[in-house]
Amino acid sequence: MRCPKCGSRDDKVIDSRQSRDSSSIRRRRECLKCKYRFTTYEEIERSDLRVVKRDRTHEPFDRRKLAGSVAKAFEKRSTSLLTLEEIVDEIVHELETSGREVPSSIIGAKVLEKLRAIDEVAYLRYASVHQRFEDVDQFVDAIHTLGRRIKPNALQRELFPPEPTQGGSASVPARSRDSAIKKNHGRV
């Protein structure tokens, strides 16, 4: 491994741990020459996933290409690198579990789905390239479509929170919840 600061090949591993999704190993390294610390990731190389492009050609899937296009959409936006990595990790995991060949249109649709939920400007940037916007009217249509979407307010609690799944454990057991309602005479 070359030091990104001085180019030396001598380093030592300070810390190793699994990534959040357990698909890679994160290693903190220190250059023995200049003492610069940097992070590397080690992951399984999957050569079996192929992308079918618009012109029907096939090429191996390249995670760096996906990460670069997502990063380009978020350029000069206030989004953390951790968020970008999580987006890419989720998309790659979905692609790896879907099959050996994936059309580029499916990859683009998955990226748009993730971007729409996080940052509308990044969504529009990516959509303009992925959907090949050719004039201003297509941008305006995309903006109007985003404007019609109901946006959740983070400060307002949900009126009807989702029910816990039957297999999962609820945060408050049913018996104690029922007794709390009886004590408050049905008031919430």
Side-chain angles (χ1 to χ4, degrees), residues 121-180:
V121 173
Y123 168 82
L124 285 172
R125 286 178 178 172
Y126 192 88
S128 69
V129 174
H130 174 68
Q131 296 173 350
R132 296 183 175 181
F133 289 177
E134 294 183 10
D135 58 9
V136 176
D137 292 335
Q138 290 176 320
F139 269 105
V140 172
D141 290 342
I143 292 169
H144 286 300
T145 302
L146 282 174
R148 282 186 233 117
R149 184 174 64 118
I150 298 171
K151 298 175 189 166
N153 184 347
L155 300 175
Q156 183 176 353
R157 288 184 20 203
E158 186 141 353
L159 183 59
F160 299 106
E163 291 291 322
T165 59
Q166 289 185 355
S169 60
S171 60
V172 179
R175 276 181 264 130
S176 63
R177 185 174 55 234
D178 292 342
S179 64

Side-chain angles (χ1 to χ4, degrees), residues 70-81:
V70 171
K72 188 75 170 167
F74 279 102
E75 194 170 82
K76 297 185 181 180
R77 303 292 299 161
S78 60
T79 305
S80 71
L81 289 175

Side-chain angles (χ1 to χ4, degrees), residues 17-26 41 80-83 85-86 89:
R17 62 178 68 168
Q18 285 187 347
S19 64
R20 285 192 172 92
D21 62 352
S22 299
S23 66
S24 62
I25 297 175
R26 177 185 182 271
Y41 291 91
S80 71
L81 289 175
L82 184 63
T83 303
E85 279 298 319
E86 287 174 357
D89 287 343

Side-chain angles (χ1 to χ4, degrees), residues 15-175:
D15 180 38
S16 289
R17 62 178 68 168
Q18 285 187 347
S19 64
R20 285 192 172 92
D21 62 352
S22 299
S23 66
S24 62
I25 297 175
R26 177 185 182 271
R27 299 194 195 279
R28 286 293 293 162
R29 297 176 180 266
E30 181 178 18
C31 175
L32 296 175
K33 184 176 180 184
C34 69
K35 303 296 183 204
Y36 181 73
R37 290 186 175 193
F38 55 99
T39 304
T40 60
Y41 291 91
E42 180 181 314
E43 61 187 8
I44 297 171
E45 182 179 17
R46 290 178 168 58
S47 59
D48 56 341
L49 188 61
R50 299 190 55 81
V51 177
V52 181
K53 301 190 62 119
R54 287 180 179 155
D55 63 356
R56 305 261 188 224
T57 59
H58 292 69
E59 70 178 41
F61 176 75
D62 186 1
R63 179 190 172 93
R64 290 174 299 189
K65 200 171 178 180
L66 175 64
S69 65
V70 171
K72 188 75 170 167
F74 279 102
E75 194 170 82
K76 297 185 181 180
R77 303 292 299 161
S78 60
T79 305
S80 71
L81 289 175
L82 184 63
T83 303
L84 298 180
E85 279 298 319
E86 287 174 357
I87 292 170
V88 172
D89 287 343
E90 289 172 10
I91 294 170
V92 168
H93 179 70
E94 289 173 15
L95 294 175
E96 288 175 345
T97 57
S98 65
R100 294 188 70 197
E101 287 188 350
V102 181
S104 61
S105 59
I106 298 293
I107 297 171
K110 288 184 183 297
V111 172
L112 285 173
E113 179 185 321
K114 303 286 184 193
L115 295 183
R116 187 174 192 171
I118 295 172
D119 188 320
E120 292 175 345
V121 173
Y123 168 82
L124 285 172
R125 286 178 178 172
Y126 192 88
S128 69
V129 174
H130 174 68
Q131 296 173 350
R132 296 183 175 181
F133 289 177
E134 294 183 10
D135 58 9
V136 176
D137 292 335
Q138 290 176 320
F139 269 105
V140 172
D141 290 342
I143 292 169
H144 286 300
T145 302
L146 282 174
R148 282 186 233 117
R149 184 174 64 118
I150 298 171
K151 298 175 189 166
N153 184 347
L155 300 175
Q156 183 176 353
R157 288 184 20 203
E158 186 141 353
L159 183 59
F160 299 106
E163 291 291 322
T165 59
Q166 289 185 355
S169 60
S171 60
V172 179
R175 276 181 264 130

